[in-house]
Amino acid sequence: MSDTTNSLSYVRKEMLDQQPAPRSQVGASRWIRENLFNGWFNSILTLISIFVIYKVLAGSLPWLFGGVWDATSLEECRAILNERFGNTHYACWAVITERWNQLIYGFYPDTEYWRANLAFVLMLVALAPVLFDAVPRKLLWLTIAFPFILVWLVWGGTIWGPLSVAVGFALAGLAFKLTDALDSMAVSAISAVIVAFLWWLVIGPIIVGGLDSALPVGHLQEVESRELGGFMICVIIGISGIAFSLPLGIVLALGRKSDLFIVKTICVGFIEFIRGVPLITLLFTASLLLNYFLPPGTTFDLTLRVIIMVTFFSSAYMAEVIRGGLAALPKGQYEAADALGLDYWKAQRLIIMPQALKISIPGIVNTFIGLFKDTTLVMFIGIYDMLGLSNAIRANAAWNGVYWELFIFIGLVFWICCFAMSRYSQWLERKLRTDHR
């Protein structure tokens, strides 16, 4: 009896071999069970959804992938479909292949497409060091120079005009630096603005005119703004509005939180007025009314006017997004900046604004996406973007009656651009996360 008692053990002395987890608890089967067939109600919804998806794909996939890609008119396209399938219930993608250049470049001269292509490639390279910190920092010089290169490549002429604008910014920065010793940000800013506009409006045009006549360096065929269109004009207006609205929105957000009555009143008035007016109204103002307030004989490029109005519109919304990020910061961050002895601008640059911008990333990118999609509104003021050109193409007798193919293509182009911005914002949020949840 004692031997039996001594042989009893309640703790296992040998290790068991590791067994694989049940198939129902890992992998795709677990995901399907938990997300698609978790209970009778979810199972019914899943089966109904699968049936609906099947019916939609069964009707749309043959239409999408069984269409015609090579034809010169809708009539010819339908004839090919009748010969191939006995009906015309398929897409006529030939309108895309036949009018591809027009949808992308608008009425830009076909011999100058290389300039638009080069500008697009340079834009991607210039954005790289801004979006990704792993890219060499030396490319930031291209980022600074790209706006002036873009104007020269797209609109043509000599290089002296864009260089003159760049010199104006350089002189403004120099004036700001020289007056910075006065310890007054307002005086420095006003001095920089006065010097820049003095150069751009008085001195610069005289020098540029002389250089154009004596030394026409880098002369490209001049292209008027009315010849711009398609996806190219959407990218120009969208990227310009995005690049300018973010810094202007930061200034407006800080101005709205300022203790200076005049500054706060101006910023609040600007933000509330712009947010209360539809963008299409501002575009009509830029197109029709702005010339009435300019001196006689003054030429103000329509594309530039649209970029200014789109920037103002986006910056008002951007200011509120950033103000939300500033309001989300705890008061201790401001007190910590004061305890370190930082002045207002150093505190904003080193402590406050980086945190506020990180908090505001979803709202900022949402504003950017809305701005890029709103570029299609320029069709109402005579600028032929992709939607405007789709109307012009359908007005042609050869393609009268084409609808879905053009709109699907345009929607796909905008979806790719907006989805890329959305994915980048999510990647940036994950990269900047400081919590460990």
Side-chain angles (χ1 to χ4, degrees), residues 120-300:
F120 184 76
V121 172
L122 289 177
M123 180 194 72
L124 297 179
V125 177
L127 287 175
V130 178
L131 301 179
F132 305 102
D133 55 4
V135 177
R137 298 293 91 188
K138 292 182 179 179
L139 285 177
L140 285 173
W141 289 107
L142 176 61
T143 305
I144 297 172
F146 174 73
F148 313 105
I149 298 175
L150 173 68
V151 172
W152 175 58
L153 284 175
V154 173
W155 280 270
T158 63
I159 195 65
W160 299 119
L163 279 179
S164 174
V165 178
V167 169
F169 281 107
L171 291 176
L174 181 60
F176 185 90
K177 190 69 175 177
L178 293 176
T179 56
D180 191 37
L182 300 176
D183 292 332
S184 176
M185 181 66 68
V187 173
S188 300
I190 293 173
S191 301
V193 171
I194 292 175
V195 169
F197 277 93
L198 185 64
W199 171 265
W200 289 332
L201 300 179
V202 181
I203 304 174
I206 300 174
I207 297 177
V208 170
L211 290 173
D212 283 342
S213 302
L215 194 63
V217 176
H219 188 275
L220 297 175
Q221 176 185 337
E222 294 189 15
V223 179
E224 297 183 6
S225 286
R226 57 187 176 86
E227 298 182 68
L228 304 181
F231 182 65
M232 181 173 65
I233 195 66
C234 293
V235 171
I236 291 174
I237 296 175
I239 294 298
S240 301
I242 288 172
F244 294 134
S245 64
L246 180 58
L248 184 56
I250 293 175
V251 172
L252 289 171
L254 294 177
R256 183 158 191 168
K257 292 178 65 68
S258 174
D259 295 329
L260 299 175
F261 176 77
I262 296 179
V263 173
K264 184 174 182 178
T265 302
I266 293 174
C267 292
V268 170
F270 178 88
I271 293 171
E272 297 303 331
F273 173 77
I274 295 296
R275 291 173 65 208
V277 178
L279 177 58
I280 188 65
T281 303
L282 298 177
L283 293 178
F284 276 119
T285 301
S287 174
L288 303 175
L289 302 179
L290 196 59
N291 282 336
Y292 290 106
F293 301 96
L294 297 175
T298 303
T299 57
F300 199 173

Side-chain angles (χ1 to χ4, degrees), residues 335-357:
E335 295 174 347
D338 294 336
L340 292 173
L342 300 177
D343 60 20
Y344 176 81
W345 294 107
K346 286 184 179 180
Q348 292 294 335
R349 180 169 59 89
L350 299 175
I351 295 180
I352 305 302
M353 195 52 65
Q355 298 181 74
L357 291 177

